[in-house]
Structure formats: structure tokens, C-alpha cells
């Protein structure tokens, strides 16, 4: 499951036949963008398309793995723009599928928030191959009317007041990250845990399991568990907070000082894009990082783009909803990375769940 599995995977604009056409039967300024459906709504793109000579074909993905597999299968010669996760760009560069971003053609990139300028993710040898595009956080969401105080990560490991009313996402990467943050393991060690650290993580995850109502996969199921009071606190995505508040339930959202898991997707250009197609692609990239698109994404998503281009165009409430009213939230971000021993992480996670 992926947070974007809310959105139905579909094909758009034209029937593409197989995964990709054998050749592009379009003018050089017709470009193909492989992305999530929620990022490529016609309303979001109409200002660009109405003032540009570029025309756009869209093909939608359901998971990052699907996108990667399609490019490796030959899609890199047909696709002009893709949307990999910030932590996944290294897989594409390792397979020599991407070209570096030409920042001279993307002036709006100068407005990237400092966090995204400084991140080493998406880069190889100082070159940026995946430019941060849009982002958010995965916080603790809780029933404020059913808990005594705002929780932090310790609620999943200590005490017994909420035993049987807690939930954790069934995902080894995030679950072990949370255990590591609770144990105080620094970020620079978090994704390369040694045997002793993994043993400590396993010990606290066993404690956590005894306290959980469930490991969730569907955010819809988790939202229902919140609504009925069966779950009062969970590591969650943001939607249950807003969905249930809109129904009159007193919900809270906590961003623990020990660290908040952040997510970010990038925009990246496959290696084979050249000439007019490349210029047109970077023209679209610049628009995606600019104010018109940023405002539409913030209001319609609601999601935050990685630049400040639209920030001053949004109301205080709109800024708060996408976490850009107080950018200090980024100070505690822990970005997901790919652990070299991830198979062992998954085995440990499954062992804990089966215990």
C-alpha cells in the first residue's frame, strides 16, 4: 500500500496500447509525463497548457515500483518526465535511467525551501537527478477527546492506559524508524543499524505489538477505527485528522520532537530526452515548481510543493493545512532512506508480527 493508492490508477489523454508506444507519433514539443493522478489534474495544468506551445500526454502510476519497472523495461525512451520518491531516485541513477537537472532551465528551483536544497537525497556526485517536487509528513494522529495529553512516540512503547487502542502502519521501514527514534538512535545511524541496535529495536517492537489494536494497511480502515473509538492513537497519514474533524470529532495531530517522518516526491527526467522535447520538459518542470501550480496543489490537494513560490498566495489556514505556516516542522524531519540490510529489517518485522 502507498498513500497515493487513494487514487485510481488509470491511463490518460490517449490509449497507449502496450506499456509504451514503439515510437512517439507526436511533434517534438508533445511530452509524456508519468505521474500520480492527483498531481496531473486538468485544472492544475491548464494555465501552463493554455500559454505554452507544449502539449502533454499523461500516464498514471499506482506505485513507485511500477514506475521504476516500466522505465527499466524500455519506457525511458518514451517518457519525458517521471515522479520518483526522493528516497527512490538512487535506484534510477544506479540503473543509469536519469539525466541531471539543468537548473538554468528551471529558475523556480531557486525558490526551493532550504531543507530541499540541502538534502543529499536525489543527488549523485553533486548533481541533482530528482528535484524535490511536493511533500508532507506522516505524524501521530489521535482522538484528542479520548486521550489525556498530546502523545509522542513513547505512547507506543510505554504505559498501559491505551493498550489495545493503538495502531501502527504495517511497513517495516517506518516501523523500525519509529522504534529507532524512540530509542534515541541518531539519524546518521538509523538506516545502518548494527546487530546490537537491531536487537534493541526488536525488543521494543515486541513490547509495541502487545499494545496494538492492529497493524493497518488501509487508511480508510484506520479512519473508521478512529471514528468508532476502537483506535485512539496511531502512526498515520494526515487525511484521518481532517476527515474526522470535518465530521465533528475532536482530533489531534502530534509531531514528536524525537523526529517526524517526512515524505517527498521528485520530478526527474529520463536520460534519453533531448532537443526540443528536453526544453519542453524543463518548461513544464519550471511551471510545476511555480506559483500557479503551487496554489492549485495546495488548495486542491491539499499538498505543499517544495518551493515557496505560492506560499504568500495562500491564507493562514491554507498554509497551516500543508505545514508551511511554521517551517520549523522541517527541523525534526527524518527522511526515509534505503537501508542496506533492509531484507533483515523485513524479516525482523515479520517475526515480531508473527510472535
Amino acid at each position: 500500500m502507498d498513500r497515493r493508492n487513494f487514487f485510481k490508477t488509470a491511463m490518460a489523454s490517449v490509449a497507449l496500447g502496450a506499456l509504451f508506444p514503439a515510437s512517439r507519433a507526436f511533434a517534438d514539443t508533445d511530452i509524456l509525463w508519468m505521474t500520480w493522478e492527483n498531481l496531473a489534474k486538468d485544472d492544475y495544468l491548464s494555465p501552463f497548457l493554455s500559454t505554452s506551445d507544449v502539449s502533454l500526454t499523461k500516464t498514471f502510476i499506482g506505485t513507485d515500483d511500477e514506475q521504476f519497472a516500466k522505465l527499466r523495461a524500455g519506457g525511458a525512451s518514451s517518457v519525458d518526465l517521471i515522479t520518483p520518491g526522493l528516497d527512490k531516485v538512487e535506484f534510477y541513477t544506479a540503473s543509469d535511467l536519469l539525466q541531471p537537472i539543468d537548473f538554468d532551465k528551471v529558475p523556480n528551483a531557486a525558490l526551493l525551501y532550504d531543507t530541499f536544497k540541502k538534502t543529499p537525497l536525489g543527488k549523485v556526485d553533486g548533481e541533482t537527478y530528482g528535484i524535490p517536487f511536493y511533500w508532507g509528513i506522516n505524524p501521530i494522529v489521535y482522538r484528542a477527546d479520548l486521550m489525556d495529553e498530546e502523545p509522542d512516540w513513547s505512547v507506543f512503547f510505554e504505559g498501559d492506559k491505551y493498550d489495545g487502542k493503538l495502531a501502527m502502519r504495517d511497513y517495516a521501514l517506518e516501523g523500525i524508524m519509529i522504534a529507532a527514534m524512540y530509542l534515541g538512535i541518531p539519524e546518521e545511524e538509523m538506516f545502518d543499524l548494527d546487530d546490537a541496535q537491531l536487537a534493541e529495536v526488536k525488543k521494543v517492537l515486541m513490547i509495541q505489538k502487545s499494545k496494538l489494536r492492529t497493524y493497518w494497511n488501509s487508511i480508510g480502515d484506520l479512519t473508521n477505527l478512529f471514528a468508532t473509538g476502537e483506535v485512539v492513537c496511531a502512526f498515520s497519514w494526515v487525511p484521518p485528522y481532517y476527515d474526522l474533524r470535518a465530521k465533528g470529532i475532536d482530533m489531534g495531530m502530534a509531531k514528536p520532537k524525537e523526529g517526524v517522518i517526512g515524505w517527498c516526491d521528485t520530478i526527474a527526467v529520463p536520460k534519453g530526452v533531448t532537443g526540443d522535447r528536453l526544453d519542453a520538459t524543463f518548461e513544464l518542470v519550471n511551471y510545476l515548481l511555480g506559483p500557479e501550480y503551487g496554489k492549485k496543489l495546495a488548495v486542491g490537494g491539499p499538498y505543499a510543493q517544495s518551493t515557496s513560490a505560492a506560499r504568500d498566495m495562500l491564507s493562514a489556514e491554507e498554509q497551516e493545512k500543508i505545514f508551511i505556516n511554521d517551517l520549523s516542522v522541517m527541523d525534526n524531519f527524518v527522511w526515509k532512506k534505503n537501508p542496506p540490510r533492509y531484507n533483515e529489517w523485513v524479516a525482523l518485522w515479520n517475526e515480531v508480527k508473527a510472535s
Side-chain angles (χ1 to χ4, degrees):
M1 286 287 295
D2 188 284
R3 66 180 180 277
R4 278 102 15 139
N5 282 343
F6 285 123
F7 305 101
K8 180 180 178 183
T9 304
M11 302 300 286
S13 300
V14 296
L16 296 181
L19 286 182
F20 299 96
S23 62
R24 296 288 296 281
F26 309 121
D28 286 343
T29 53
D30 284 319
I31 58 177
L32 191 153
W33 183 20
M34 183 188 292
T35 190
W36 307 102
E37 185 175 5
N38 62 307
L39 298 178
K41 295 179 181 179
D42 290 343
D43 176 57
Y44 294 2
L45 297 168
S46 59
F48 172 75
L49 296 174
S50 65
T51 59
S52 170
D53 292 333
V54 177
S55 59
L56 181 66
T57 301
K58 299 173 284 185
T59 179
F60 299 137
I61 56 175
T63 68
D64 211 328
D65 290 343
E66 173 193 343
Q67 180 177 234
F68 180 60
K70 286 183 175 180
L71 254 71
R72 290 194 69 184
S77 63
S78 300
V79 177
D80 301 296
L81 193 65
I82 62 170
T83 317
L86 184 60
D87 58 314
K88 303 299 183 186
V89 174
E90 64 180 275
F91 295 129
Y92 294 81
T93 56
S95 295
D96 199 27
L97 294 172
L98 302 179
Q99 59 181 288
I101 300 295
D102 184 348
F103 283 95
D104 288 340
K105 296 180 179 178
V106 190
N108 283 329
L111 301 174
L112 282 168
Y113 291 118
D114 284 345
T115 294
F116 299 115
K117 288 180 179 178
K118 295 175 182 177
T119 179
L121 297 176
K123 299 174 182 175
V124 178
D125 297 330
E127 295 268 25
T128 298
Y129 288 82
I131 186 168
F133 175 22
Y134 83 124
W135 61 276
I137 69 171
N138 294 334
I140 297 174
V141 173
Y142 63 99
R143 285 282 299 263
D145 56 338
L146 299 178
M147 296 192 73
D148 294 336
E149 59 185 4
E150 180 175 295
D152 57 23
W153 296 127
S154 67
V155 73
F156 297 103
F157 304 97
E158 299 176 11
D160 56 13
K161 184 168 184 177
Y162 303 109
D163 284 4
K165 294 186 176 183
L166 305 171
M168 181 62 56
R169 187 185 180 200
D170 187 4
Y171 183 24
L173 179 64
E174 292 172 337
I176 291 176
M177 286 176 65
I178 289 167
M181 286 188 283
Y182 166 69
L183 289 168
I185 295 172
E187 184 178 354
E188 57 268 23
E189 299 177 19
M190 187 177 298
F191 298 94
D192 196 15
L193 301 172
D194 60 28
D195 290 343
Q197 289 170 321
L198 281 172
E200 287 300 307
V201 164
K202 180 179 178 181
K203 186 184 301 182
V204 297
L205 287 177
M206 295 290 285
I207 295 170
Q208 179 191 90
K209 181 178 183 290
S210 70
K211 298 178 175 297
L212 297 181
R213 166 67 170 79
T214 189
Y215 294 97
W216 63 269
N217 285 296
S218 163
I219 198 68
D221 290 344
L222 178 61
T223 301
N224 290 335
L225 290 168
F226 273 129
T228 62
E230 294 173 75
V231 165
V232 301
C233 181
F235 168 64
S236 178
W237 300 335
V238 171
Y241 172 79
Y242 289 113
D243 292 347
L244 295 174
R245 275 171 56 99
K247 295 177 180 178
I249 298 177
D250 186 10
M251 301 297 295
M253 185 192 304
K255 310 173 191 74
K257 66 180 184 302
E258 300 94 337
V260 178
I261 295 178
W263 59 263
C264 177
D265 281 354
T266 70
I267 30 183
V269 181
K271 195 170 185 179
V273 184
T274 60
D276 289 344
R277 273 174 54 197
L278 183 60
D279 290 340
T281 297
F282 279 125
E283 187 180 342
L284 174 59
V285 170
N286 193 56
Y287 172 77
L288 295 175
L289 298 178
E292 288 182 290
Y293 181 87
K295 182 174 182 179
K296 289 179 178 291
L297 186 68
V299 174
Y303 292 112
Q305 65 183 164
S306 58
T307 71
S308 61
R311 189 180 183 208
D312 291 342
M313 301 166 63
L314 302 173
S315 69
E317 181 180 359
E318 289 167 339
Q319 289 187 19
E320 181 179 8
K321 204 166 186 179
I322 57 174
F323 309 107
I324 62 171
N325 61 315
D326 180 6
L327 294 176
S328 66
V329 68
M330 293 185 180
D331 295 343
N332 289 336
F333 272 7
V334 179
W335 298 110
K336 289 181 282 189
K337 300 178 186 177
N338 301 294
R341 301 174 64 182
Y342 190 55
N343 288 340
E344 294 176 56
W345 283 34
V346 173
L348 184 154
W349 183 252
N350 289 333
E351 185 179 347
V352 168
K353 290 194 302 172
S355 65

